[in-house]
């Protein structure tokens, strides 16, 4: 298992699903099982596909920037900046666990909306 390859695959998986082809993302990058910890997404591969198909239909003009990727052991963490319609912006932290074959088998995330004002001049990314 290559940490660099896992980071590359986590980004490709997320991009492919985010921009409208979650079935392809699952087919290429997910292992035999897919454990989901986001309470808004059903467990398993089909739950993931259904969620991202719905997001693409409802919000086709969203965008994502991958700010950083960190890998350790069988985990990859992605830090992203997402912009949704109406300039609704979010910072996400996604964690993916890979199996021994380099396939994604588990996902956790944390999502925070970027506020209009801040007590400091630092970005959230």
């Amino acid at each position: 298992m290559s940490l660099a390859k896992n980071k590359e695959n986590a980004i490709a998986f997320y991009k492919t699903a985010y921009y409208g082809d979650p079935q392809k993302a699952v087919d290429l990058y997910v292992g035999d099982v897919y454990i989901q910890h986001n309470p808004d997404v059903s467990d398993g591969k089909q739950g993931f596909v259904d969620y991202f198909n719905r997001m693409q239909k409802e919000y086709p003009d969203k965008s994502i920037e991958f700010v950083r990727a960190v890998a350790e052991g069988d985990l990859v963490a992605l830090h992203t900046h997402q912009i949704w319609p109406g300039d609704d912006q979010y910072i996400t932290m996604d964690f993916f666990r890979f199996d021994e074959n380099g396939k994604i088998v588990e996902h956790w995330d944390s999502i925070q909306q970027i506020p209009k004002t801040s007590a400091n001049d630092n970005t959230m990314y």
Side-chain angles (χ1 to χ4, degrees), residues 4-5 7 12 24-25 31 33-34 42 52-53 57 60 62 66 73-74 88 90 96 98 100 103 105 107 115 118 120:
K5 187 65 172 170
K7 286 195 300 187
K24 180 179 178 181
V33 299
Y34 184 75
S42 297
F52 274 92
N53 277 334
K57 184 177 179 182
K62 62 194 178 304
F66 293 87
D74 61 356
D88 199 12
Y90 295 86
F96 299 95
F98 284 75
E100 63 279 352
K103 299 292 186 175
V105 294
H107 170 257
S118 174
N120 62 63

Side-chain angles (χ1 to χ4, degrees), residues 35-110:
I35 302 166
Q36 178 62 257
H37 294 278
N38 181 321
D40 293 328
V41 183
S42 297
D43 203 25
K45 296 177 188 181
Q46 192 58 52
F48 175 86
V49 169
D50 292 345
Y51 177 81
F52 274 92
N53 277 334
R54 189 175 86 245
M55 289 298 100
Q56 181 63 23
K57 184 177 179 182
E58 293 176 9
Y59 306 101
D61 296 325
K62 62 194 178 304
S63 66
I64 190 169
E65 174 190 358
F66 293 87
V67 179
R68 55 187 56 87
V70 178
E72 179 179 293
D74 61 356
L75 298 173
V76 171
L78 300 179
H79 188 198
T80 73
H81 176 202
Q82 298 185 21
I83 303 174
W84 290 66
D87 198 34
D88 199 12
Q89 297 188 43
Y90 295 86
I91 295 300
T92 68
M93 306 277 189
D94 288 86
F95 295 84
F96 299 95
R97 182 173 63 85
F98 284 75
D99 67 12
E100 63 279 352
N101 299 312
K103 299 292 186 175
I104 296 169
V105 294
E106 195 163 6
H107 170 257
W108 301 261
D109 64 6
S110 180

